[in-house]
Amino acid sequence: MRTTIIGLAACLLAQSTSAQSLINGYWNPLGNQDAYHYAAGPDPGDFSGLPITDAARKIAQQYDADEFEMPELMCRPFMATYAPRTLSTMRIWDTTDPQTQEQIKIETNMAFSAPHRTIWMPASNHPAPPATAPHTWQGYSTGKWVGNVLWVHTDHLKPGYLQRSQGLPLDDRTTMDERIFRYGDVLVDIMMISDPQYLSRPFIYSKLYAYIPQGNMDPYPCSVHNQVPAPEGYVPMRLPFYTTNYNDLFAAKGIPLEAAKGGEQTMFPEYQDYLKTLPPNPPYAQLKAEQEKQLEEQNAIARGKP
Amino acid sequence: MKRLVFAFVIVQTALVAAQGRGGGQGRGGGQPAAAPAPPQTAQQAALVDLTGYWVSVVDEDWRFRMMTPPKGDYAQVPLNAAGRTIANQFDPELYGGAGYQTSQIIDCRAYGGAGLMHMPTRLHITWASPETLKIETDWGVQTRLIHFTPGKSYGDIELALRNGEINGGHEPASMQGYSIAMWEQPYRFNQVTFQRGAAGRGGGLGQNRAMEAQPGGSLGVVTTDLAPGWLRRNGVPYSTKTRLIEHFMTFQDPTGKDWFTDTTEVLDPEYLNTPFIISSEFQKEPDGSKWALHPCKEIK
């Protein structure tokens, strides 16, 4: 009799959790929104619309995208806060318990750089790991279904970056909350990234995907090889006085230099009134000359002849 | 012990029955079968509360939204040759000359229905009537009216469009067009096609979850009868044949602030090669103290 009662209770409990395959499958990123940031990477020095702190801006201004040519960093995976925002196909699949048919975990894999992420389900079965637990590129993710919406929380992330090729940093206290849902063949992933060090408010970003009925993903074996010849031990970097990290592509877009510094004030409609008051940018030739002068000063320091 | 088991079964049966009836109404909680509720208005049937003041938070597509992109820059828009021909007629001289990108002289066509929600603006959303939701903007000073069909508050807007239930024909065409809406309940468990809401009965053979009413939902909107307008401030066009499909979903950020996202699909057989799909996020504001009218410029 006791067994019967336990069985009935199990039936009730089973109905309080979900095992859903709603989002499983292959998804292609839609390129109609923010694609210029993630196809070739955003222009150096353009932080417009990003709620970054002064500390983040200072680090990013000293960033040199050539660091991706360093053998030590060449195969560094994209972290969970960035990989879904690239123009990369994503596969989602789940694993269910063969006895209860309840969802145990949901996994994702992106085509480019092959970041593989696990979302443990449901969150109530997976208490947060201790603060001393290892931090990883994909972090520790737990999820739960609220109706058709998958809620995901991720922490225990390694320090990484908010935007690749801009050097905008995220520190190891970064957390990410997501709401993932679909309308027909469109998948929406609302990513809410919080970082007490480098973001003044959560960075809220929605990534859109389209369903691929016959999905396929190539392997992504990353091998370290010397793509750009450089002296042994060379570390691409900028010294702290370096402030003009712009290129001709940035100049062509006409974004005022003041707005390009970013910060949360640039995210709201009233900033349009402020934009009217900003002076026109100096000619790109002038910016480029300043940049080359600073690079020359840096090289002189590197040679020991400031 | 037998009594205990019997009580357990009774409770379980009652729970399932209540879920089934509640699901039929599309809301949580059951009602006595003998007393059918009168048809709800759309306002009463609302699955999410979109009323109040909201501000768009622009951390995506910043350079296309906060300022006018350079003439001829249609990046990310699947514009066809006819569309590019029109976009190339954009004349910066009419919008501030050399400083046109930041002059904030914005053509009213950029605030047409297909582009409005992606423009940086505040929204004031109210119920104009129990079946009509009103969305006003301070930038561009526009008003959208979202019409529900009385007695049909729930449904699937894309399914309705495919089934020919939404055809347009509400002449004359206008900047904000004619919008029809439905509250979209979560997708149902264990169906061979996407169906929303709860079925009200079980399927058996381990598939008895179809009866469950699930939390959440969204607002689906289809807009037709649009006058020609712009998808971007620099003259990227959409035609009067455009149909707009939107889904509004609310959520909270980690600090507890309320938001909604508007996922927008623009279908234009005249100027777009493929659908143009974007989203816009809005954060709730406590009041209208930051509401500031910024009329757009009528340029023919």
Side-chain angles (χ1 to χ4, degrees), chain A:
Chain A
M1 190 58 67
R2 185 176 296 165
T3 309
T4 310
I5 293 173
I6 292 171
L8 284 167
C11 281
L12 282 173
L13 285 173
Q15 288 189 352
S16 65
T17 56
S18 292
Q20 306 188 32
S21 55
L22 189 64
I23 59 174
N24 285 358
Y26 285 84
W27 298 90
N28 250 1
L30 287 165
N32 301 140
Q33 177 168 285
D34 237 23
Y36 67 100
H37 269 182
Y38 305 111
D43 300 322
D46 175 15
F47 312 135
S48 52
L50 300 175
I52 57 171
T53 62
D54 290 342
R57 187 180 304 108
K58 193 169 179 57
I59 290 173
Q61 281 172 336
Q62 293 159 27
Y63 173 79
D64 186 339
D66 284 350
E67 76 166 39
F68 277 87
E69 307 300 337
M70 293 174 62
E72 295 85 351
L73 300 178
M74 205 171 280
C75 288
R76 179 173 50 176
F78 286 174
M79 61 193 297
T81 48
Y82 183 77
R85 288 156 53 214
T86 61
L87 290 178
S88 186
T89 300
M90 176 169 65
R91 179 187 166 216
I92 303 177
W93 70 102
D94 68 345
T95 302
T96 55
D97 183 301
Q99 300 302 320
T100 66
Q101 301 304 320
E102 293 298 314
Q103 208 166 41
I104 299 170
K105 60 181 177 178
I106 297 172
E107 292 170 88
T108 67
N109 198 80
M110 311 292 298
F112 192 77
S113 95
H116 174 204
R117 184 175 172 209
T118 301
I119 302 165
W120 297 101
M121 300 289 290
S124 55
N125 286 359
H126 299 276
T132 53
H135 286 219
T136 62
W137 293 115
Q138 303 310 315
Y140 184 81
S141 298
T142 54
K144 64 178 178 182
W145 286 100
V146 179
N148 286 169
V149 183
L150 178 64
W151 295 31
V152 183
H153 177 80
T154 301
D155 51 27
H156 283 73
L157 287 155
K158 280 190 176 190
Y161 39 79
L162 184 69
Q163 308 267 56
R164 183 182 180 236
S165 79
Q166 282 189 318
L168 280 173
L170 290 175
D171 83 357
D172 65 355
R173 288 175 292 170
T174 296
T175 59
M176 180 167 67
D177 292 275
E178 292 167 274
R179 303 289 181 267
I180 303 172
F181 46 93
R182 71 184 285 179
Y183 300 116
D185 286 343
V186 172
L187 184 78
V188 183
D189 181 2
I190 297 177
M191 306 167 69
M192 300 178 271
I193 301 170
S194 306
D195 178 352
Q197 177 73 11
Y198 295 127
L199 295 175
S200 61
R201 55 179 280 143
F203 173 61
I204 295 181
Y205 182 92
S206 57
K207 183 65 189 282
L208 307 177
Y209 299 85
Y211 182 67
I212 315 174
Q214 185 164 303
N216 179 268
M217 192 177 287
D218 290 334
Y220 188 86
C222 184
S223 58
V224 175
H225 56 277
N226 195 1
Q227 295 175 333
V228 180
E232 189 174 344
Y234 173 68
V235 178
M237 59 169 290
R238 301 280 191 258
L239 291 176
F241 61 77
Y242 192 84
T243 56
T244 55
N245 208 359
Y246 305 116
N247 62 18
D248 54 339
L249 293 173
F250 167 78
K253 294 183 175 82
I255 299 170
L257 296 182
E258 173 72 19
K261 291 178 181 173
E264 67 175 75
Q265 73 279 5
T266 63
M267 305 166 75
F268 295 96
E270 50 269 31
Y271 196 74
Q272 294 171 106
D273 284 326
Y274 182 64
L275 277 173
K276 284 190 292 193
T277 69
L278 296 177
N281 288 348
Y284 176 61
Q286 183 180 327
L287 288 174
K288 190 177 178 186
E290 285 175 22
Q291 193 160 308
E292 287 174 349
K293 184 181 171 192
Q294 290 187 358
L295 279 174
E296 185 52 41
E297 286 176 22
Q298 172 176 299
N299 291 338
I301 291 171
R303 289 193 301 267
K305 296 175 184 174

Side-chain angles (χ1 to χ4, degrees), chain B residues 40-122:
Chain B
Q40 291 178 305
T41 65
Q43 185 175 2
Q44 291 167 330
L47 293 174
V48 295
D49 182 13
L50 293 167
T51 60
Y53 287 93
W54 303 82
V55 60
S56 52
V57 180
V58 184
D59 54 9
E60 298 160 342
D61 278 351
W62 192 94
R63 74 183 186 89
F64 298 126
R65 300 168 68 185
M66 296 293 281
M67 51 187 281
T68 302
K71 176 181 177 177
D73 184 347
Y74 340 114
Q76 304 170 191
V77 183
L79 208 57
N80 64 20
R84 285 196 296 275
T85 299
I86 291 179
N88 287 337
Q89 294 168 7
F90 177 78
D91 182 0
E93 288 302 320
L94 297 174
Y95 304 95
Y100 76 99
Q101 285 196 258
T102 55
S103 69
Q104 305 304 339
I105 301 171
I106 306 173
D107 196 298
C108 286
R109 285 172 287 187
Y111 291 101
L116 179 67
M117 301 298 276
H118 213 45
M119 291 292 281
T121 184
R122 283 187 164 75

Side-chain angles (χ1 to χ4, degrees), chain B residues 265-288:
Chain B
E265 183 172 358
V266 183
L267 305 161
D268 181 3
E270 193 157 339
Y271 296 136
L272 297 180
N273 286 317
T274 61
F276 178 63
I277 305 176
I278 55 175
S279 65
S280 310
E281 280 74 44
F282 295 85
Q283 181 186 310
K284 193 155 196 178
E285 298 203 309
D287 52 44

Side-chain angles (χ1 to χ4, degrees), chain A residues 21-22 148 182-185, chain B residues 156 158-160 162-163 185-199 207 210 214:
Chain A
S21 55
L22 189 64
N148 286 169
R182 71 184 285 179
Y183 300 116
D185 286 343
Chain B
D156 185 305
E158 295 191 37
L159 190 63
R162 282 202 298 275
N163 287 346
Q185 297 163 302
Y187 292 123
R188 195 181 293 171
F189 285 112
N190 298 328
Q191 302 297 311
V192 292
T193 57
F194 282 123
Q195 294 180 47
R196 295 184 181 277
Q207 297 193 347
Q214 300 178 71

